Amino acid sequence: MLPLPSAQQLRYLIALSELRHFGRAAAACAVTQSTLSAGIMTLERQLDTPLLDRTVGKKVVFTPLGHEIALKARQALAALEAVPQLAAAARTPLTGPLRLGVIPTIGPFLIPRTVHILREHFPRLLLSLTEDTTEHLLEKLSLGQLDMLVLAMPCLCDGTETHPLWQDPFYVIMPSNHPFAALESVPVERLSEYNMVMMEDGHCLREQTLAICRQSPSRSGAEGESEPTFTAMSLHSMAEMVELGLGIAIMPALAINGGILKNRKIAARPLADGAAWRTIGLAWRPRSPRTTDFSTLASTLLTLALDPA
């Protein structure tokens, strides 16, 4: 019978693969650098194959086979960790660690109340949060670093199970003295009349805004889109730019209802005919043993959406 790597050996290998530095990998595993190094060498002897290319000096370089084994190690460790999670989920819903990822255009406006509700109703849940762009969160989910994501859909969520929750309409925000402020709703075709403030590259709201702007004929260039004059790293920065009169912007209702425009000289108007929205939803790895937990969390988030106060 072939000797099996231990869970700790897998953790050492995964940490080194992700961090590419023995010292940082050891710190991430809460062991000394010599312990981690010895663990990797023991695993290599156990597998009878080199996992690292040691001809390149101090640089951490995996062999092609080492890279493949590190990928398998992530899958194996995730499956191993799922065993106690499955048992815990069967005993009590939403118990133990839950690593939740959320995008920046949702997190500040949904997570505070979510955390409060979860602490009140599920005190044995150990929640950790990661805020990042959709692409990075999906990568962390696939690597087993996160358990579930709160995303804006549509998105490229291949390889995950998704659970749409509710539609989040888009509004146009503008300075309170802007001509659009006199309208009940803003026609999409008029968006090209003014500069547009957008989120920076990597944020799905930027792509959603560009999709809306493509419906405005004079804004569509040779490649179907034009560069905005100003880009923001957060919705709060976007609101500040709009208040300064640098342009108008597309803002989700979730953020507006969350008070982002409070005490600002900014008006918000819906797009005419309910022209655009995003869908707030959840994503997790297929066949996760915690699907029941995720469904419970979905119900909690829906309750918050129906009762935004």
Side-chain angles (χ1 to χ4, degrees), residues 1 15 20 22 35 43 78 85 89 96 113-114 142 155 202 279 281 288-289:
M1 184 176 182
R20 302 290 168 142
F22 276 94
T35 297
L43 180 58
Q85 292 175 0
R113 294 186 63 218
T114 301
S142 68
C155 64
T279 299
S288 170

Side-chain angles (χ1 to χ4, degrees), residues 16 19-34 36 60:
L16 189 60
L19 299 174
R20 302 290 168 142
H21 187 279
F22 276 94
R24 289 195 292 269
C29 295
V31 298
T32 64
Q33 183 170 329
S34 59
L36 183 134
V60 175

